[in-house]
Coordinates of all heavy atoms in Angstrom, one line a residue:
M1171 N 71.1 56.9 -13.6 CA 71.0 58.2 -12.9 C 70.5 58.0 -11.5 O 69.5 57.3 -11.3 CB 70.1 59.2 -13.7 CG 70.6 60.6 -13.6 SD 69.6 61.7 -14.6 CE 69.1 62.9 -13.4
Q1172 N 71.1 58.7 -10.6 CA 70.6 58.6 -9.2 C 69.5 59.6 -8.9 O 69.7 60.8 -9.1 CB 71.8 58.9 -8.3 CG 72.6 57.7 -8.0 CD 72.2 57.0 -6.6 OE1 71.5 57.6 -5.9 NE2 72.7 55.8 -6.4
S1173 N 68.4 59.2 -8.5 CA 67.3 60.1 -8.2 C 67.0 60.1 -6.7 O 66.1 60.7 -6.2 CB 66.0 59.7 -8.9 OG 65.7 58.4 -8.5
Q1174 N 68.0 59.5 -5.9 CA 67.8 59.4 -4.5 C 68.1 60.7 -3.8 O 68.9 61.5 -4.3 CB 68.6 58.3 -3.9 CG 67.9 57.0 -3.8 CD 68.5 56.1 -2.8 OE1 69.7 56.2 -2.5 NE2 67.8 55.1 -2.3
S1175 N 67.5 60.9 -2.7 CA 67.8 62.1 -1.9 C 69.2 62.1 -1.4 O 69.8 61.0 -1.3 CB 66.8 62.2 -0.7 OG 67.3 63.1 0.2
Q1176 N 69.8 63.3 -1.1 CA 71.1 63.3 -0.6 C 71.1 63.1 0.9 O 72.2 63.0 1.5 CB 71.6 64.8 -0.8 CG 70.7 65.8 -0.3 CD 71.2 67.2 -0.6 OE1 72.4 67.5 -0.4 NE2 70.3 68.1 -1.0
Y1177 N 70.0 62.8 1.5 CA 69.9 62.6 2.9 C 69.7 61.1 3.3 O 69.3 60.3 2.4 CB 68.8 63.4 3.5 CG 68.9 64.8 3.3 CD1 68.0 65.5 2.5 CD2 70.0 65.5 3.9 CE1 68.2 66.9 2.3 CE2 70.1 66.9 3.6 CZ 69.2 67.6 2.8 OH 69.4 68.9 2.6
A1178 N 70.0 60.8 4.5 CA 69.9 59.4 5.0 C 68.4 59.0 4.9 O 67.5 59.8 5.0 CB 70.4 59.3 6.4
P1179 N 68.2 57.6 4.7 CA 66.8 57.2 4.7 C 66.0 57.4 5.9 O 66.6 57.5 7.0 CB 66.9 55.7 4.4 CG 68.3 55.4 4.4 CD 69.1 56.6 4.5
C1180 N 64.7 57.6 5.8 CA 63.8 57.8 6.9 C 63.8 56.7 7.9 O 63.7 55.5 7.5 CB 62.4 58.0 6.3 SG 61.1 58.1 7.6
P1181 N 63.9 57.0 9.2 CA 64.0 56.0 10.2 C 62.6 55.3 10.4 O 62.5 54.2 11.0 CB 64.4 56.7 11.5 CG 64.0 58.2 11.2 CD 64.1 58.4 9.8
N1182 N 61.6 55.9 9.9 CA 60.2 55.4 10.1 C 59.8 54.5 8.9 O 59.3 53.4 9.1 CB 59.2 56.5 10.3 CG 57.9 56.1 10.7 OD1 57.7 55.2 11.5 ND2 56.8 56.6 10.1
C1183 N 60.0 54.9 7.7 CA 59.5 54.2 6.5 C 60.6 53.7 5.6 O 60.4 52.9 4.7 CB 58.5 55.0 5.8 SG 59.1 56.4 4.9
G1184 N 61.9 54.2 5.8 CA 63.0 53.7 5.0 C 63.1 54.4 3.6 O 64.0 54.0 2.9
Q1185 N 62.3 55.3 3.3 CA 62.3 56.1 2.0 C 63.4 57.2 2.1 O 63.7 57.7 3.2 CB 61.0 56.7 1.7 CG 59.9 55.7 1.6 CD 59.8 55.1 0.2 OE1 60.1 55.7 -0.8 NE2 59.4 53.8 0.1
S1186 N 64.0 57.5 0.9 CA 64.9 58.6 0.9 C 64.4 59.8 0.1 O 64.9 60.2 -0.9 CB 66.2 58.1 0.2 OG 66.9 57.2 1.0
V1187 N 63.2 60.2 0.6 CA 62.6 61.3 -0.1 C 62.4 62.5 0.8 O 61.5 63.3 0.7 CB 61.2 60.9 -0.7 CG1 61.3 60.0 -1.9 CG2 60.4 60.2 0.4
A1188 N 63.4 62.7 1.6 CA 63.4 63.8 2.6 C 63.7 65.1 2.0 O 64.4 65.2 1.0 CB 64.4 63.5 3.7
K1189 N 63.1 66.1 2.6 CA 63.3 67.5 2.2 C 63.8 68.3 3.4 O 63.3 68.1 4.5 CB 62.0 68.1 1.7 CG 62.0 68.5 0.2 CD 60.8 69.3 -0.1 CE 60.8 69.6 -1.6 NZ 59.5 70.2 -2.0
K1190 N 64.8 69.1 3.1 CA 65.4 69.9 4.2 C 64.4 71.0 4.7 O 63.7 71.6 3.9 CB 66.7 70.6 3.8 CG 67.4 71.1 5.0 CD 68.8 71.5 4.6 CE 69.6 71.8 5.9 NZ 70.9 72.3 5.6
L1191 N 64.3 71.1 6.0 CA 63.4 72.2 6.5 C 64.2 73.5 6.7 O 65.3 73.4 7.2 CB 62.8 71.7 7.9 CG 61.8 70.6 7.8 CD1 61.4 70.1 9.2 CD2 60.6 70.9 7.0
N1192 N 63.6 74.6 6.3 CA 64.3 75.9 6.5 C 64.0 76.6 7.8 O 64.7 77.4 8.2 CB 64.0 76.8 5.3 CG 64.6 76.3 4.0 OD1 65.7 75.8 4.0 ND2 63.8 76.3 3.0
F1193 N 62.8 76.2 8.3 CA 62.4 76.8 9.6 C 61.6 75.9 10.4 O 60.8 75.1 9.9 CB 61.5 78.0 9.2 CG 61.3 79.0 10.3 CD1 62.2 80.0 10.6 CD2 60.2 78.8 11.2 CE1 61.9 80.9 11.7 CE2 60.0 79.6 12.2 CZ 60.8 80.7 12.5
T1194 N 61.8 75.9 11.7 CA 61.1 75.0 12.6 C 60.6 75.9 13.8 O 61.3 76.9 14.1 CB 61.9 73.8 13.1 OG1 63.1 74.3 13.8 CG2 62.2 72.9 12.0
W1195 N 59.6 75.4 14.5 CA 59.1 76.2 15.7 C 60.1 76.2 16.8 O 60.2 77.1 17.6 CB 57.7 75.6 16.1 CG 57.8 74.2 16.5 CD1 57.6 73.1 15.8 CD2 58.2 73.7 17.9 NE1 57.8 71.9 16.5 CE2 58.1 72.3 17.8 CE3 58.5 74.3 19.1 CZ2 58.4 71.5 18.9 CZ3 58.7 73.5 20.2 CH2 58.7 72.1 20.1
W1196 N 60.9 75.1 16.9 CA 61.8 74.9 18.0 C 63.2 75.6 17.8 O 63.9 76.0 18.7 CB 62.0 73.5 18.4 CG 62.4 72.6 17.2 CD1 61.6 71.9 16.4 CD2 63.7 72.4 16.7 NE1 62.3 71.3 15.4 CE2 63.6 71.6 15.6 CE3 65.0 72.8 17.1 CZ2 64.8 71.1 14.9 CZ3 66.1 72.4 16.4 CH2 66.0 71.6 15.3
G1197 N 63.6 75.7 16.5 CA 65.0 76.2 16.3 C 65.0 77.4 15.4 O 66.1 77.8 15.0
G1198 N 63.9 77.9 15.0 CA 63.9 79.0 14.1 C 64.6 78.6 12.8 O 64.3 77.6 12.2
A1199 N 65.4 79.5 12.2 CA 66.1 79.2 11.0 C 67.5 78.6 11.2 O 68.0 77.9 10.3 CB 66.3 80.5 10.2
L1200 N 68.0 78.7 12.4 CA 69.3 78.2 12.7 C 69.3 76.7 13.1 O 70.2 75.9 12.7 CB 70.0 79.0 13.8 CG 71.4 78.7 14.2 CD1 72.4 79.0 13.0 CD2 71.9 79.5 15.4
G1201 N 68.4 76.3 14.0 CA 68.3 75.0 14.5 C 68.3 73.9 13.5 O 69.2 73.0 13.5
P1202 N 67.4 73.9 12.5 CA 67.4 72.8 11.5 C 68.7 72.8 10.6 O 69.0 71.7 10.1 CB 66.2 73.2 10.6 CG 65.8 74.6 10.9 CD 66.3 74.8 12.3
R1203 N 69.3 73.9 10.5 CA 70.6 73.9 9.8 C 71.7 73.2 10.6 O 72.5 72.5 10.0 CB 71.0 75.4 9.5 CG 71.2 75.7 8.0 CD 71.3 77.1 7.7 NE 70.0 77.7 7.4 CZ 69.8 79.0 7.0 NH1 70.8 79.8 7.0 NH2 68.6 79.4 6.7
M1204 N 71.7 73.4 11.9 CA 72.7 72.9 12.8 C 72.6 71.3 12.8 O 73.6 70.7 12.9 CB 72.5 73.4 14.2 CG 73.2 74.8 14.4 SD 72.8 75.4 16.0 CE 73.7 74.3 17.1
F1205 N 71.4 70.8 12.7 CA 71.2 69.4 12.9 C 70.8 68.6 11.6 O 70.4 67.5 11.7 CB 70.2 69.1 14.0 CG 70.5 69.8 15.3 CD1 69.5 70.6 15.9 CD2 71.7 69.7 15.9 CE1 69.8 71.3 17.1 CE2 72.0 70.4 17.1 CZ 71.0 71.1 17.7
T1206 N 70.9 69.3 10.5 CA 70.5 68.7 9.2 C 69.1 68.1 9.4 O 68.8 67.0 9.0 CB 71.5 67.6 8.7 OG1 72.8 67.9 9.1 CG2 71.4 67.5 7.2
H1207 N 68.2 69.0 9.9 CA 66.8 68.5 10.2 C 66.0 68.4 8.9 O 65.8 69.4 8.2 CB 66.2 69.5 11.1 CG 65.0 68.9 11.8 ND1 65.0 67.8 12.6 CD2 63.7 69.3 11.8 CE1 63.8 67.6 13.1 NE2 63.0 68.5 12.6
V1208 N 65.6 67.2 8.5 CA 64.8 67.0 7.3 C 63.5 66.4 7.6 O 63.3 65.8 8.7 CB 65.6 66.1 6.3 CG1 66.9 66.8 5.8 CG2 65.9 64.8 6.9
K1209 N 62.6 66.5 6.6 CA 61.2 65.9 6.8 C 61.0 64.9 5.7 O 61.1 65.2 4.5 CB 60.2 67.0 6.8 CG 58.8 66.6 7.1 CD 57.9 67.8 7.1 CE 56.5 67.4 7.6 NZ 55.6 68.6 7.7
C1210 N 60.6 63.7 6.0 CA 60.2 62.7 5.0 C 59.0 63.1 4.3 O 58.0 63.4 4.8 CB 60.0 61.3 5.8 SG 59.5 60.0 4.7
E1211 N 59.1 63.0 2.9 CA 57.9 63.4 2.1 C 56.9 62.3 2.1 O 55.7 62.5 1.7 CB 58.4 63.6 0.6 CG 59.3 64.8 0.5 CD 58.6 66.1 0.3 OE1 58.3 66.7 1.3 OE2 58.3 66.4 -0.8
N1212 N 57.3 61.1 2.5 CA 56.4 59.9 2.4 C 55.5 59.8 3.7 O 54.3 59.7 3.6 CB 57.2 58.7 2.3 CG 56.3 57.4 2.0 OD1 55.4 57.5 1.2 ND2 56.6 56.4 2.8
C1213 N 56.1 59.9 4.9 CA 55.4 59.8 6.1 C 55.4 61.0 7.0 O 54.9 60.9 8.1 CB 55.8 58.5 6.9 SG 57.5 58.7 7.5
K1214 N 56.1 62.0 6.6 CA 56.1 63.3 7.3 C 56.9 63.2 8.6 O 56.8 64.1 9.4 CB 54.7 63.8 7.6 CG 53.8 63.9 6.4 CD 54.3 64.8 5.4 CE 53.4 64.8 4.1 NZ 54.0 65.2 2.9
T1215 N 57.7 62.2 8.8 CA 58.6 62.1 9.9 C 59.7 63.1 9.8 O 60.3 63.2 8.7 CB 59.2 60.7 10.1 OG1 58.1 59.8 10.2 CG2 60.1 60.6 11.3
E1216 N 60.1 63.8 10.9 CA 61.2 64.7 10.9 C 62.4 64.0 11.6 O 62.2 63.5 12.6 CB 60.8 66.0 11.6 CG 59.8 66.8 10.8 CD 59.3 68.0 11.4 OE1 60.0 68.5 12.4 OE2 58.3 68.6 11.0
Y1217 N 63.5 64.1 10.9 CA 64.7 63.4 11.5 C 66.0 64.1 11.1 O 66.0 65.0 10.3 CB 64.7 61.9 11.2 CG 64.8 61.7 9.7 CD1 66.0 61.3 9.1 CD2 63.7 61.8 8.8 CE1 66.1 61.1 7.7 CE2 63.8 61.5 7.5 CZ 65.0 61.2 6.9 OH 65.1 61.0 5.6
N1218 N 67.1 63.5 11.5 CA 68.4 64.1 11.2 C 68.9 63.4 9.9 O 69.1 62.2 9.8 CB 69.4 63.7 12.3 CG 70.8 64.4 12.1 OD1 71.3 64.5 11.0 ND2 71.3 64.9 13.2
G1219 N 69.0 64.3 8.8 CA 69.3 63.8 7.5 C 70.7 63.3 7.3 O 71.1 62.6 6.4
K1220 N 71.6 63.5 8.3 CA 72.9 63.1 8.3 C 73.1 61.7 8.9 O 73.7 60.8 8.3 CB 73.8 64.1 9.1 CG 75.1 64.4 8.4 CD 75.9 65.4 9.2 CE 76.7 66.3 8.3 NZ 77.3 67.4 9.1
T1221 N 72.5 61.5 10.0 CA 72.6 60.2 10.7 C 71.4 59.3 10.5 O 71.6 58.1 10.7 CB 72.7 60.4 12.3 OG1 71.5 61.0 12.7 CG2 73.8 61.4 12.6
G1222 N 70.3 59.8 10.0 CA 69.1 59.0 9.8 C 68.4 58.6 11.0 O 67.6 57.7 11.1
K1223 N 68.8 59.3 12.1 CA 68.1 59.1 13.4 C 67.2 60.3 13.8 O 67.3 61.3 13.2 CB 69.2 58.8 14.5 CG 69.8 57.5 14.3 CD 70.9 57.4 15.4 CE 71.8 56.1 15.1 NZ 73.0 56.1 15.8
S1224 N 66.5 60.1 14.8 CA 65.6 61.1 15.3 C 66.4 62.3 15.9 O 67.5 62.1 16.4 CB 64.7 60.6 16.4 OG 64.1 61.6 17.1
N1225 N 65.9 63.5 15.7 CA 66.6 64.7 16.2 C 66.1 65.1 17.5 O 66.4 66.2 18.0 CB 66.4 65.8 15.2 CG 67.7 66.1 14.4 OD1 68.8 65.7 14.9 ND2 67.6 66.8 13.3
Q1226 N 65.3 64.3 18.2 CA 64.5 64.7 19.4 C 65.5 65.1 20.5 O 65.2 66.2 21.1 CB 63.7 63.5 19.9 CG 62.5 64.0 20.7 CD 61.4 63.0 20.8 OE1 61.7 61.8 20.6 NE2 60.2 63.4 21.1
T1227 N 66.6 64.4 20.7 CA 67.5 64.8 21.8 C 68.1 66.1 21.5 O 68.2 67.0 22.3 CB 68.6 63.7 21.9 OG1 68.0 62.4 21.9 CG2 69.4 63.9 23.2
N1228 N 68.6 66.3 20.2 CA 69.2 67.6 19.8 C 68.2 68.7 20.0 O 68.6 69.8 20.4 CB 69.6 67.5 18.3 CG 70.8 66.6 18.1 OD1 71.6 66.4 19.0 ND2 70.9 66.1 16.9
I1229 N 66.9 68.5 19.6 CA 65.9 69.5 19.8 C 65.7 69.9 21.2 O 65.7 71.1 21.5 CB 64.6 69.0 19.2 CG1 64.7 68.9 17.6 CG2 63.4 70.0 19.5 CD1 63.5 68.2 17.0
I1230 N 65.7 68.9 22.1 CA 65.5 69.2 23.5 C 66.7 70.0 24.1 O 66.5 71.0 24.8 CB 65.3 67.9 24.3 CG1 64.0 67.2 24.0 CG2 65.4 68.1 25.8 CD1 63.8 65.8 24.4
I1231 N 67.9 69.6 23.7 CA 69.1 70.3 24.1 C 69.1 71.7 23.6 O 69.3 72.7 24.3 CB 70.4 69.5 23.7 CG1 70.5 68.2 24.4 CG2 71.6 70.4 23.9 CD1 71.6 67.3 23.9
Y1232 N 68.8 71.8 22.3 CA 68.8 73.2 21.6 C 67.7 74.1 22.3 O 68.0 75.2 22.6 CB 68.4 73.0 20.2 CG 68.5 74.3 19.4 CD1 69.7 74.7 18.8 CD2 67.4 75.1 19.2 CE1 69.7 75.9 18.0 CE2 67.4 76.2 18.5 CZ 68.6 76.6 17.9 OH 68.6 77.8 17.2
F1233 N 66.6 73.5 22.5 CA 65.5 74.2 23.1 C 65.8 74.6 24.6 O 65.6 75.8 25.0 CB 64.2 73.3 23.1 CG 62.9 74.1 23.2 CD1 62.6 75.0 22.2 CD2 62.1 74.0 24.3 CE1 61.4 75.7 22.3 CE2 60.9 74.7 24.4 CZ 60.6 75.5 23.4
A1234 N 66.4 73.7 25.3 CA 66.8 74.0 26.7 C 67.9 75.0 26.8 O 67.8 76.0 27.6 CB 67.2 72.7 27.4
A1235 N 68.8 74.9 25.9 CA 69.9 75.9 25.8 C 69.4 77.3 25.5 O 69.8 78.3 26.1 CB 71.0 75.5 24.8
G1236 N 68.5 77.3 24.5 CA 67.9 78.6 24.2 C 67.1 79.2 25.3 O 67.2 80.4 25.6
F1237 N 66.4 78.3 26.0 CA 65.6 78.8 27.2 C 66.5 79.4 28.3 O 66.3 80.4 28.8 CB 64.8 77.6 27.7 CG 63.8 78.0 28.8 CD1 62.6 78.6 28.5 CD2 64.1 77.8 30.1 CE1 61.8 79.0 29.4 CE2 63.2 78.1 31.1 CZ 62.1 78.8 30.8
V1238 N 67.6 78.6 28.6 CA 68.6 79.1 29.6 C 69.2 80.4 29.2 O 69.3 81.3 30.0 CB 69.7 78.0 29.8 CG1 70.8 78.5 30.7 CG2 69.0 76.8 30.5
I1239 N 69.6 80.5 27.9 CA 70.3 81.8 27.5 C 69.3 82.9 27.6 O 69.6 84.0 28.1 CB 70.8 81.6 26.0 CG1 72.0 80.7 26.0 CG2 71.1 83.0 25.4 CD1 72.4 80.1 24.6
A1240 N 68.0 82.7 27.2 CA 67.0 83.7 27.3 C 66.7 84.1 28.7 O 66.6 85.3 29.1 CB 65.7 83.3 26.6
F1241 N 66.7 83.1 29.6 CA 66.5 83.3 31.0 C 67.6 84.1 31.6 O 67.3 85.0 32.4 CB 66.3 81.9 31.7 CG 65.9 82.0 33.1 CD1 64.6 82.2 33.4 CD2 66.8 82.0 34.2 CE1 64.1 82.3 34.7 CE2 66.4 82.1 35.5 CZ 65.1 82.3 35.8
C1242 N 68.8 83.8 31.3 CA 70.0 84.5 31.8 C 70.0 85.9 31.3 O 70.3 86.9 32.1 CB 71.3 83.8 31.4 SG 71.6 82.3 32.3
A1243 N 69.7 86.1 30.1 CA 69.6 87.5 29.5 C 68.6 88.3 30.2 O 68.8 89.5 30.6 CB 69.3 87.4 28.0
C1244 N 67.4 87.7 30.4 CA 66.3 88.4 31.1 C 66.7 88.7 32.6 O 66.5 89.8 33.1 CB 65.0 87.6 31.1 SG 64.3 87.6 29.5
G1245 N 67.3 87.7 33.2 CA 67.8 87.8 34.6 C 68.8 88.9 34.8 O 68.8 89.7 35.7
G1246 N 69.8 88.9 33.8 CA 70.9 89.9 33.8 C 70.3 91.3 33.7 O 70.8 92.2 34.3
M1247 N 69.3 91.4 32.8 CA 68.7 92.7 32.5 C 68.0 93.2 33.8 O 68.1 94.4 34.2 CB 67.7 92.5 31.4 CG 67.5 93.8 30.6 SD 68.9 94.1 29.6 CE 68.3 93.6 28.0
A1248 N 67.3 92.3 34.4 CA 66.5 92.6 35.7 C 67.5 93.0 36.8 O 67.3 94.0 37.5 CB 65.7 91.4 36.1
F1249 N 68.6 92.3 36.9 CA 69.6 92.6 37.9 C 70.2 94.0 37.6 O 70.4 94.8 38.5 CB 70.7 91.5 37.8 CG 71.8 91.7 38.8 CD1 71.6 91.4 40.2 CD2 73.0 92.3 38.5 CE1 72.6 91.7 41.1 CE2 74.0 92.5 39.4 CZ 73.8 92.2 40.7
L1250 N 70.5 94.3 36.3 CA 71.1 95.5 36.0 C 70.2 96.7 36.3 O 70.6 97.7 36.9 CB 71.4 95.5 34.5 CG 72.5 96.5 34.0 CD1 73.9 96.2 34.5 CD2 72.5 96.6 32.5
T1251 N 68.9 96.5 36.0 CA 67.9 97.5 36.3 C 67.8 97.8 37.8 O 67.8 98.9 38.3 CB 66.5 97.1 35.8 OG1 66.7 96.7 34.4 CG2 65.5 98.2 35.8
F1252 N 67.8 96.7 38.6 CA 67.8 96.7 40.0 C 69.0 97.4 40.5 O 68.9 98.3 41.4 CB 67.7 95.3 40.5 CG 67.7 95.2 42.0 CD1 66.5 95.5 42.7 CD2 68.8 94.9 42.8 CE1 66.4 95.4 44.1 CE2 68.8 94.8 44.1 CZ 67.6 95.1 44.8
F1253 N 70.2 97.1 40.0 CA 71.4 97.7 40.4 C 71.5 99.2 40.1 O 71.9 100.0 41.0 CB 72.6 97.0 39.7 CG 73.9 97.4 40.1 CD1 74.4 97.0 41.4 CD2 74.7 98.2 39.3 CE1 75.7 97.4 41.8 CE2 76.0 98.6 39.7 CZ 76.5 98.2 40.9
L1254 N 71.0 99.6 39.0 CA 71.1 101.0 38.6 C 70.1 101.8 39.4 O 70.3 103.0 39.6 CB 70.8 101.1 37.1 CG 71.9 100.6 36.2 CD1 71.4 100.7 34.7 CD2 73.2 101.4 36.3
N1255 N 69.0 101.2 39.8 CA 67.9 101.9 40.5 C 68.3 102.1 42.0 O 67.6 102.8 42.7 CB 66.6 101.2 40.4 CG 65.9 101.4 39.0 OD1 66.2 102.4 38.4 ND2 65.1 100.5 38.6
N1256 N 69.3 101.4 42.4 CA 69.7 101.4 43.8 C 70.9 102.2 44.1 O 71.5 102.0 45.2 CB 69.8 100.0 44.4 CG 68.4 99.5 44.8 OD1 67.9 99.9 45.8 ND2 67.9 98.6 44.0
Q1257 N 71.3 103.0 43.2 CA 72.6 103.7 43.4 C 72.3 105.0 44.2 O 71.3 105.6 44.0 CB 73.2 104.1 42.1 CG 74.0 102.9 41.6 CD 74.9 103.2 40.4 OE1 74.6 104.2 39.7 NE2 76.0 102.5 40.2
Ligands
ZN75 ZN1 59.3 58.3 6.1

């Protein structure tokens, strides 16, 4: 019987005892789902359960993209308010 995890082994300790994370500070509920973000039960390292590599680059891109989208939304809102107030 296979008792191994369905995820790739941990890049830090080599164990396959990772658990999927449902929520992270950087990606909310969607981010960890997009990148198969798992956490090693043995050494607490968080990584990509599909590739067995660090998710750091994905996190930075995701975080930056979210920041840009939020910034544009806020900027657009400010512009719209400015535009409507100047009619
Ligand atoms: Zn580990």
Side-chain angles (χ1 to χ4, degrees):
M1171 213 175 127
Q1172 274 262 349
S1173 60
Q1174 270 202 333
S1175 163
Q1176 56 182 314
Y1177 301 114
C1180 172
N1182 189 42
C1183 68
Q1185 299 278 326
S1186 291
V1187 286
K1189 244 186 180 171
K1190 193 168 188 186
L1191 292 175
N1192 291 318
F1193 194 90
T1194 57
W1195 62 268
W1196 53 268
L1200 184 68
R1203 238 169 265 184
M1204 278 174 71
F1205 306 129
T1206 328
H1207 197 62
V1208 296
K1209 186 177 188 175
C1210 175
E1211 294 276 89
N1212 188 48
C1213 67
K1214 309 299 175 201
T1215 300
E1216 293 177 13
Y1217 63 98
N1218 189 319
K1220 222 178 211 172
T1221 62
K1223 287 176 188 164
S1224 171
N1225 252 342
Q1226 202 159 24
T1227 315
N1228 287 336
I1229 291 169
I1230 292 167
I1231 291 167
Y1232 184 91
F1233 201 65
F1237 186 79
V1238 167
I1239 289 164
F1241 188 80
C1242 287
C1244 288
M1247 210 70 107
F1249 180 77
L1250 199 70
T1251 310
F1252 179 80
F1253 183 74
L1254 289 173
N1255 284 336
N1256 272 289
Q1257 276 191 337

